[in-house]
Amino acid sequence: MRPATPASPPRRSRIGDLPMRVIYRGLAVVVTVVVAAVALVLVLPQEPDEVAAGPITAPSTPPSSSGPAPAASATPQAVAATAGATPIGSAPAASPDPTGPASSGSVASATPRPTPTPGTSLAPGYTAMEALYADARLPRLPAKVRRISLGAAGKHVIRDRRSGLAVPRLGRPWKTYGPAPFTSRQVLPKTRGSALRGTIATCPLPIEAQEHPRDTALLAARWTLNHHPKGAKVRWMASQPVKDGWMLVYQVTYGKRSSRAAVAVVDGGMSKPGLAFVSVPDAQKKRWRDITSVVSGVRALG
């Protein structure tokens, strides 16, 4: 009979066989790996679906060039540009792009220029002819306007050396009168119940001369409305060249009344052309025939 074999001692686990420093080292490696994984998740960008699902913030300044930038954000360059800006009419400059410097090729949106107010000074950027065409009191001169037959110049004239013109001196009932604010003047007697009366006047051209004498005469006719009642409107009757200038005949209506008038712009050899102006109200319409006599006899003094 075999002798009994003593029982074997229980086996220790593998971890129990390892030294403690090895265990700690392994735990440190695991912790390092976990921390690195978390950091990697935080650093990586979000998926596109997550960006789309997030809130959308409106831009603080709309990317528009239709108006000026707010005053609070004006730069010294913008202030300097505003100080030298063209007054009215000019198209406003485009606002700078909020996302970066403005492109040198950007163009401001076109803005209609306001119509000049009759009787006010022209703003820079307008021409005298543009203001004329914007004036509702004067229609466009038709391409074909009738011409009138001009008679011979009379023997008796008034010599206006300031305008460089000679104009017919008409007989009674016309008479010479104090020239101011013109440089020569003839008038008809006043009629009862009316402050208006026939007038023939000359003076140096009170407006800027244009390249074409017809345009100068149009501007002169517009200027004469200052000497007609308020609300006067023009209807063109005749337009034609005269020696050294241009002549216009027109009807001026104001309410239920009217006048017949004419201007002749003639180069009299002075620094500015001379203007001859005649107007006769309908209360004295028997003298309307004198208008043709006046414009027929306007001459440069030479």
Tab-separated table of all heavy atoms in Angstrom, residues 233-282:
chain	number	residue	atom	x	y	z
A	233	LYS	N	-46.048	129.005	-68.090
A	233	LYS	CA	-45.578	127.883	-68.897
A	233	LYS	C	-45.425	128.342	-70.342
A	233	LYS	O	-46.128	129.254	-70.795
A	233	LYS	CB	-46.543	126.697	-68.821
A	233	LYS	CG	-46.601	126.057	-67.438
A	233	LYS	CD	-47.483	124.818	-67.439
A	233	LYS	CE	-47.494	124.158	-66.076
A	233	LYS	NZ	-48.325	122.920	-66.059
A	234	VAL	N	-44.531	127.674	-71.066
A	234	VAL	CA	-44.147	128.111	-72.408
A	234	VAL	C	-44.733	127.194	-73.469
A	234	VAL	O	-44.824	125.978	-73.280
A	234	VAL	CB	-42.609	128.151	-72.524
A	234	VAL	CG1	-42.156	128.253	-73.968
A	234	VAL	CG2	-42.039	129.301	-71.709
A	235	ARG	N	-45.126	127.805	-74.593
A	235	ARG	CA	-45.466	127.055	-75.807
A	235	ARG	C	-44.662	127.673	-76.947
A	235	ARG	O	-44.784	128.866	-77.241
A	235	ARG	CB	-46.963	127.137	-76.115
A	235	ARG	CG	-47.363	126.399	-77.401
A	235	ARG	CD	-48.869	126.415	-77.595
A	235	ARG	NE	-49.384	127.761	-77.836
A	235	ARG	CZ	-49.438	128.334	-79.039
A	235	ARG	NH1	-48.987	127.684	-80.118
A	235	ARG	NH2	-49.930	129.546	-79.178
A	236	TRP	N	-43.805	126.873	-77.574
A	236	TRP	CA	-42.917	127.388	-78.607
A	236	TRP	C	-43.699	127.708	-79.880
A	236	TRP	O	-44.563	126.945	-80.296
A	236	TRP	CB	-41.813	126.381	-78.929
A	236	TRP	CG	-40.972	126.004	-77.755
A	236	TRP	CD1	-40.871	124.777	-77.172
A	236	TRP	CD2	-40.110	126.870	-77.012
A	236	TRP	NE1	-40.010	124.814	-76.111
A	236	TRP	CE2	-39.518	126.085	-75.984
A	236	TRP	CE3	-39.784	128.217	-77.093
A	236	TRP	CZ2	-38.623	126.621	-75.055
A	236	TRP	CZ3	-38.893	128.756	-76.179
A	236	TRP	CH2	-38.317	127.966	-75.172
A	237	MET	N	-43.347	128.849	-80.500
A	237	MET	CA	-44.023	129.291	-81.712
A	237	MET	C	-43.074	129.383	-82.912
A	237	MET	O	-43.483	129.121	-84.041
A	237	MET	CB	-44.692	130.652	-81.479
A	237	MET	CG	-45.741	130.630	-80.381
A	237	MET	SD	-46.523	132.250	-80.152
A	237	MET	CE	-47.337	132.455	-81.731
A	238	ALA	N	-41.831	129.776	-82.691
A	238	ALA	CA	-40.881	129.908	-83.799
A	238	ALA	C	-39.469	129.775	-83.258
A	238	ALA	O	-39.179	130.142	-82.108
A	238	ALA	CB	-41.050	131.249	-84.517
A	239	SER	N	-38.590	129.240	-84.093
A	239	SER	CA	-37.179	129.070	-83.739
A	239	SER	C	-36.363	129.129	-85.028
A	239	SER	O	-36.636	128.361	-85.957
A	239	SER	CB	-36.965	127.731	-83.026
A	239	SER	OG	-35.590	127.475	-82.829
A	240	GLN	N	-35.378	130.037	-85.076
A	240	GLN	CA	-34.579	130.152	-86.287
A	240	GLN	C	-33.316	130.966	-86.026
A	240	GLN	O	-33.252	131.745	-85.072
A	240	GLN	CB	-35.390	130.813	-87.406
A	240	GLN	CG	-35.834	132.233	-87.107
A	240	GLN	CD	-36.962	132.665	-88.017
A	240	GLN	OE1	-38.108	132.259	-87.838
A	240	GLN	NE2	-36.628	133.477	-89.023
A	241	PRO	N	-32.313	130.764	-86.860
A	241	PRO	CA	-31.089	131.560	-86.700
A	241	PRO	C	-31.297	132.996	-87.186
A	241	PRO	O	-32.117	133.261	-88.069
A	241	PRO	CB	-30.083	130.818	-87.579
A	241	PRO	CG	-30.910	130.109	-88.601
A	241	PRO	CD	-32.203	129.770	-87.937
A	242	VAL	N	-30.559	133.903	-86.573
A	242	VAL	CA	-30.472	135.283	-87.022
A	242	VAL	C	-28.983	135.604	-87.171
A	242	VAL	O	-28.122	134.794	-86.788
A	242	VAL	CB	-31.150	136.254	-86.037
A	242	VAL	CG1	-32.645	136.002	-85.983
A	242	VAL	CG2	-30.555	136.116	-84.633
A	243	LYS	N	-28.675	136.742	-87.718
A	243	LYS	CA	-27.280	137.074	-87.915
A	243	LYS	C	-26.545	137.108	-86.574
A	243	LYS	O	-26.949	137.804	-85.651
A	243	LYS	CB	-27.142	138.429	-88.625
A	243	LYS	CG	-25.706	138.757	-88.971
A	243	LYS	CD	-25.596	140.047	-89.761
A	243	LYS	CE	-24.136	140.329	-90.097
A	243	LYS	NZ	-23.971	141.552	-90.899
A	244	ASP	N	-25.483	136.312	-86.483
A	244	ASP	CA	-24.634	136.228	-85.281
A	244	ASP	C	-25.364	135.649	-84.066
A	244	ASP	O	-24.926	135.861	-82.933
A	244	ASP	CB	-24.049	137.601	-84.908
A	244	ASP	CG	-23.206	138.212	-86.011
A	244	ASP	OD1	-22.442	137.463	-86.636
A	244	ASP	OD2	-23.336	139.425	-86.271
A	245	GLY	N	-26.464	134.918	-84.269
A	245	GLY	CA	-27.136	134.370	-83.098
A	245	GLY	C	-28.358	133.548	-83.429
A	245	GLY	O	-28.471	132.960	-84.507
A	246	TRP	N	-29.309	133.505	-82.480
A	246	TRP	CA	-30.517	132.693	-82.605
A	246	TRP	C	-31.697	133.423	-81.997
A	246	TRP	O	-31.541	134.210	-81.047
A	246	TRP	CB	-30.327	131.354	-81.892
A	246	TRP	CG	-31.269	130.285	-82.366
A	246	TRP	CD1	-32.536	130.033	-81.914
A	246	TRP	CD2	-31.025	129.339	-83.420
A	246	TRP	NE1	-33.089	128.985	-82.602
A	246	TRP	CE2	-32.182	128.538	-83.536
A	246	TRP	CE3	-29.950	129.088	-84.253
A	246	TRP	CZ2	-32.303	127.504	-84.451
A	246	TRP	CZ3	-30.053	128.055	-85.172
A	246	TRP	CH2	-31.215	127.278	-85.264
A	247	MET	N	-32.903	133.149	-82.544
A	247	MET	CA	-34.110	133.812	-82.099
A	247	MET	C	-35.192	132.784	-81.788
A	247	MET	O	-35.345	131.787	-82.498
A	247	MET	CB	-34.591	134.777	-83.183
A	247	MET	CG	-35.894	135.495	-82.851
A	247	MET	SD	-37.364	134.572	-83.440
A	247	MET	CE	-37.114	134.601	-85.199
A	248	LEU	N	-35.971	133.016	-80.720
A	248	LEU	CA	-37.110	132.180	-80.342
A	248	LEU	C	-38.319	133.069	-80.091
A	248	LEU	O	-38.204	134.124	-79.462
A	248	LEU	CB	-36.813	131.384	-79.069
A	248	LEU	CG	-35.730	130.298	-79.128
A	248	LEU	CD1	-35.388	129.840	-77.712
A	248	LEU	CD2	-36.199	129.122	-79.975
A	249	VAL	N	-39.478	132.626	-80.553
A	249	VAL	CA	-40.754	133.280	-80.250
A	249	VAL	C	-41.618	132.252	-79.525
A	249	VAL	O	-41.668	131.085	-79.936
A	249	VAL	CB	-41.459	133.781	-81.528
A	249	VAL	CG1	-42.787	134.459	-81.161
A	249	VAL	CG2	-40.563	134.751	-82.290
A	250	TYR	N	-42.309	132.671	-78.476
A	250	TYR	CA	-43.073	131.719	-77.671
A	250	TYR	C	-44.244	132.399	-76.983
A	250	TYR	O	-44.272	133.619	-76.787
A	250	TYR	CB	-42.174	131.042	-76.624
A	250	TYR	CG	-41.304	131.981	-75.821
A	250	TYR	CD1	-41.665	132.390	-74.535
A	250	TYR	CD2	-40.101	132.460	-76.331
A	250	TYR	CE1	-40.864	133.238	-73.790
A	250	TYR	CE2	-39.286	133.300	-75.600
A	250	TYR	CZ	-39.674	133.694	-74.330
A	250	TYR	OH	-38.891	134.548	-73.602
A	251	GLN	N	-45.236	131.575	-76.637
A	251	GLN	CA	-46.401	132.007	-75.884
A	251	GLN	C	-46.177	131.621	-74.423
A	251	GLN	O	-45.726	130.512	-74.118
A	251	GLN	CB	-47.659	131.320	-76.410
A	251	GLN	CG	-48.966	131.898	-75.887
A	251	GLN	CD	-49.472	133.056	-76.734
A	251	GLN	OE1	-48.909	133.335	-77.796
A	251	GLN	NE2	-50.517	133.732	-76.286
A	252	VAL	N	-46.494	132.542	-73.512
A	252	VAL	CA	-46.361	132.289	-72.082
A	252	VAL	C	-47.754	132.369	-71.469
A	252	VAL	O	-48.416	133.406	-71.548
A	252	VAL	CB	-45.428	133.308	-71.402
A	252	VAL	CG1	-45.262	132.966	-69.927
A	252	VAL	CG2	-44.080	133.353	-72.098
A	253	THR	N	-48.218	131.275	-70.882
A	253	THR	CA	-49.543	131.244	-70.256
A	253	THR	C	-49.396	131.178	-68.741
A	253	THR	O	-48.504	130.505	-68.214
A	253	THR	CB	-50.367	130.038	-70.750
A	253	THR	OG1	-49.649	128.826	-70.463
A	253	THR	CG2	-50.605	130.125	-72.245
A	254	TYR	N	-50.287	131.886	-68.046
A	254	TYR	CA	-50.304	131.877	-66.573
A	254	TYR	C	-51.763	132.033	-66.158
A	254	TYR	O	-52.353	133.103	-66.242
A	254	TYR	CB	-49.424	132.986	-65.997
A	254	TYR	CG	-49.374	134.250	-66.818
A	254	TYR	CD1	-50.305	135.270	-66.622
A	254	TYR	CD2	-48.424	134.408	-67.815
A	254	TYR	CE1	-50.271	136.424	-67.390
A	254	TYR	CE2	-48.385	135.563	-68.587
A	254	TYR	CZ	-49.313	136.563	-68.369
A	254	TYR	OH	-49.288	137.709	-69.144
A	255	GLY	N	-52.364	130.919	-65.737
A	255	GLY	CA	-53.786	130.929	-65.429
A	255	GLY	C	-54.596	131.105	-66.704
A	255	GLY	O	-54.360	130.433	-67.710
A	256	LYS	N	-55.524	132.061	-66.683
A	256	LYS	CA	-56.366	132.326	-67.863
A	256	LYS	C	-55.764	133.394	-68.766
A	256	LYS	O	-56.343	133.698	-69.809
A	256	LYS	CB	-57.758	132.756	-67.404
A	256	LYS	CG	-58.513	131.671	-66.637
A	256	LYS	CD	-59.910	132.147	-66.242
A	256	LYS	CE	-60.670	131.061	-65.502
A	256	LYS	NZ	-62.041	131.519	-65.114
A	257	ARG	N	-54.643	133.974	-68.386
A	257	ARG	CA	-54.044	135.035	-69.175
A	257	ARG	C	-52.780	134.523	-69.858
A	257	ARG	O	-52.273	133.429	-69.563
A	257	ARG	CB	-53.700	136.243	-68.284
A	257	ARG	CG	-54.827	136.757	-67.438
A	257	ARG	CD	-56.090	137.069	-68.253
A	257	ARG	NE	-55.866	138.094	-69.261
A	257	ARG	CZ	-56.115	139.394	-69.058
A	257	ARG	NH1	-56.583	139.810	-67.881
A	257	ARG	NH2	-55.902	140.265	-70.029
A	258	SER	N	-52.253	135.342	-70.770
A	258	SER	CA	-51.055	134.943	-71.496
A	258	SER	C	-50.318	136.168	-72.004
A	258	SER	O	-50.855	137.286	-72.008
A	258	SER	CB	-51.417	134.024	-72.676
A	258	SER	OG	-52.157	134.742	-73.643
A	259	SER	N	-49.089	135.942	-72.419
A	259	SER	CA	-48.269	136.956	-73.078
A	259	SER	C	-47.602	136.305	-74.271
A	259	SER	O	-47.411	135.082	-74.304
A	259	SER	CB	-47.199	137.515	-72.133
A	259	SER	OG	-47.777	138.239	-71.077
A	260	ARG	N	-47.219	137.121	-75.230
A	260	ARG	CA	-46.397	136.640	-76.327
A	260	ARG	C	-45.020	137.259	-76.151
A	260	ARG	O	-44.909	138.455	-75.819
A	260	ARG	CB	-46.990	137.013	-77.680
A	260	ARG	CG	-46.282	136.363	-78.851
A	260	ARG	CD	-47.132	136.395	-80.107
A	260	ARG	NE	-48.310	135.539	-79.966
A	260	ARG	CZ	-49.197	135.335	-80.939
A	260	ARG	NH1	-49.062	135.922	-82.114
A	260	ARG	NH2	-50.232	134.544	-80.736
A	261	ALA	N	-43.983	136.455	-76.351
A	261	ALA	CA	-42.632	136.923	-76.042
A	261	ALA	C	-41.641	136.392	-77.066
A	261	ALA	O	-41.953	135.492	-77.867
A	261	ALA	CB	-42.235	136.476	-74.639
A	262	ALA	N	-40.433	136.972	-77.043
A	262	ALA	CA	-39.354	136.518	-77.927
A	262	ALA	C	-38.026	136.890	-77.298
A	262	ALA	O	-37.925	137.867	-76.533
A	262	ALA	CB	-39.483	137.151	-79.312
A	263	VAL	N	-37.006	136.107	-77.612
A	263	VAL	CA	-35.632	136.428	-77.233
A	263	VAL	C	-34.755	136.312	-78.470
A	263	VAL	O	-35.006	135.483	-79.349
A	263	VAL	CB	-35.084	135.495	-76.119
A	263	VAL	CG1	-35.808	135.723	-74.803
A	263	VAL	CG2	-35.170	134.040	-76.541
A	264	ALA	N	-33.748	137.154	-78.526
A	264	ALA	CA	-32.720	137.057	-79.567
A	264	ALA	C	-31.376	137.144	-78.868
A	264	ALA	O	-31.105	138.119	-78.155
A	264	ALA	CB	-32.874	138.166	-80.593
A	265	VAL	N	-30.562	136.101	-79.020
A	265	VAL	CA	-29.215	136.075	-78.450
A	265	VAL	C	-28.244	136.308	-79.592
A	265	VAL	O	-28.203	135.529	-80.554
A	265	VAL	CB	-28.930	134.727	-77.757
A	265	VAL	CG1	-27.495	134.691	-77.255
A	265	VAL	CG2	-29.907	134.496	-76.609
A	266	VAL	N	-27.475	137.411	-79.504
A	266	VAL	CA	-26.604	137.829	-80.602
A	266	VAL	C	-25.222	138.144	-80.048
A	266	VAL	O	-25.089	138.769	-78.974
A	266	VAL	CB	-27.191	139.065	-81.327
A	266	VAL	CG1	-26.225	139.574	-82.403
A	266	VAL	CG2	-28.541	138.736	-81.941
A	267	ASP	N	-24.204	137.694	-80.750
A	267	ASP	CA	-22.825	137.987	-80.377
A	267	ASP	C	-22.505	139.422	-80.794
A	267	ASP	O	-22.357	139.719	-81.983
A	267	ASP	CB	-21.872	137.004	-81.060
A	267	ASP	CG	-20.424	137.199	-80.634
A	267	ASP	OD1	-20.162	138.109	-79.810
A	267	ASP	OD2	-19.567	136.442	-81.120
A	268	GLY	N	-22.397	140.290	-79.807
A	268	GLY	CA	-22.118	141.702	-80.084
A	268	GLY	C	-20.664	142.074	-79.936
A	268	GLY	O	-20.335	143.267	-79.884
A	269	GLY	N	-19.782	141.068	-79.877
A	269	GLY	CA	-18.361	141.348	-79.780
A	269	GLY	C	-17.888	141.647	-78.371
A	269	GLY	O	-16.722	142.025	-78.171
A	270	MET	N	-18.736	141.465	-77.367
A	270	MET	CA	-18.358	141.691	-75.974
A	270	MET	C	-17.879	140.364	-75.355
A	270	MET	O	-17.825	139.329	-76.037
A	270	MET	CB	-19.550	142.257	-75.197
A	270	MET	CG	-20.232	143.437	-75.869
A	270	MET	SD	-19.117	144.851	-76.135
A	270	MET	CE	-18.983	145.459	-74.450
A	271	SER	N	-17.545	140.407	-74.068
A	271	SER	CA	-17.091	139.185	-73.398
A	271	SER	C	-18.201	138.141	-73.329
A	271	SER	O	-17.933	136.949	-73.262
A	271	SER	CB	-16.591	139.514	-71.987
A	271	SER	OG	-17.623	140.121	-71.222
A	272	LYS	N	-19.457	138.588	-73.329
A	272	LYS	CA	-20.611	137.686	-73.352
A	272	LYS	C	-21.541	138.137	-74.467
A	272	LYS	O	-21.574	139.327	-74.825
A	272	LYS	CB	-21.360	137.731	-72.010
A	272	LYS	CG	-20.527	137.320	-70.814
A	272	LYS	CD	-21.352	137.334	-69.546
A	272	LYS	CE	-22.377	136.216	-69.557
A	272	LYS	NZ	-23.114	136.124	-68.271
A	273	PRO	N	-22.317	137.215	-75.044
A	273	PRO	CA	-23.318	137.629	-76.034
A	273	PRO	C	-24.328	138.593	-75.413
A	273	PRO	O	-24.465	138.675	-74.186
A	273	PRO	CB	-23.980	136.313	-76.454
A	273	PRO	CG	-22.997	135.256	-76.078
A	273	PRO	CD	-22.287	135.757	-74.864
A	274	GLY	N	-25.039	139.313	-76.248
A	274	GLY	CA	-26.093	140.199	-75.777
A	274	GLY	C	-27.454	139.548	-75.910
A	274	GLY	O	-27.682	138.681	-76.771
A	275	LEU	N	-28.386	139.946	-75.036
A	275	LEU	CA	-29.745	139.415	-75.045
A	275	LEU	C	-30.733	140.540	-75.312
A	275	LEU	O	-30.709	141.575	-74.628
A	275	LEU	CB	-30.071	138.754	-73.705
A	275	LEU	CG	-31.538	138.362	-73.484
A	275	LEU	CD1	-31.960	137.265	-74.462
A	275	LEU	CD2	-31.775	137.917	-72.041
A	276	ALA	N	-31.595	140.350	-76.296
A	276	ALA	CA	-32.741	141.231	-76.530
A	276	ALA	C	-33.992	140.449	-76.176
A	276	ALA	O	-34.174	139.312	-76.628
A	276	ALA	CB	-32.782	141.703	-77.968
A	277	PHE	N	-34.868	141.042	-75.373
A	277	PHE	CA	-36.041	140.354	-74.836
A	277	PHE	C	-37.255	141.262	-75.005
A	277	PHE	O	-37.209	142.450	-74.665
A	277	PHE	CB	-35.780	140.035	-73.360
A	277	PHE	CG	-37.001	139.716	-72.544
A	277	PHE	CD1	-37.925	138.781	-72.975
A	277	PHE	CD2	-37.212	140.340	-71.318
A	277	PHE	CE1	-39.046	138.485	-72.208
A	277	PHE	CE2	-38.322	140.045	-70.547
A	277	PHE	CZ	-39.243	139.119	-71.000
A	278	VAL	N	-38.335	140.705	-75.530
A	278	VAL	CA	-39.577	141.459	-75.681
A	278	VAL	C	-40.737	140.603	-75.208
A	278	VAL	O	-40.783	139.394	-75.485
A	278	VAL	CB	-39.793	141.925	-77.145
A	278	VAL	CG1	-39.710	140.764	-78.110
A	278	VAL	CG2	-41.121	142.656	-77.313
A	279	SER	N	-41.680	141.213	-74.487
A	279	SER	CA	-42.861	140.515	-73.990
A	279	SER	C	-44.038	141.487	-73.999
A	279	SER	O	-43.910	142.633	-73.540
A	279	SER	CB	-42.620	139.994	-72.573
A	279	SER	OG	-43.784	139.379	-72.049
A	280	VAL	N	-45.183	141.014	-74.495
A	280	VAL	CA	-46.397	141.845	-74.567
A	280	VAL	C	-47.566	141.002	-74.051
A	280	VAL	O	-47.843	139.921	-74.605
A	280	VAL	CB	-46.679	142.318	-76.006
A	280	VAL	CG1	-47.950	143.185	-76.037
A	280	VAL	CG2	-45.493	143.091	-76.567
A	281	PRO	N	-48.279	141.464	-72.995
A	281	PRO	CA	-49.403	140.682	-72.464
A	281	PRO	C	-50.611	140.742	-73.385
A	281	PRO	O	-50.728	141.606	-74.262
A	281	PRO	CB	-49.681	141.375	-71.124
A	281	PRO	CG	-49.224	142.785	-71.324
A	281	PRO	CD	-48.041	142.698	-72.241
A	282	ASP	N	-51.544	139.797	-73.169
A	282	ASP	CA	-52.724	139.731	-74.034
A	282	ASP	C	-53.637	140.945	-73.873
A	282	ASP	O	-54.465	141.222	-74.754
A	282	ASP	CB	-53.493	138.436	-73.796
A	282	ASP	CG	-53.898	138.229	-72.336
A	282	ASP	OD1	-53.673	139.148	-71.501
A	282	ASP	OD2	-54.436	137.150	-72.012
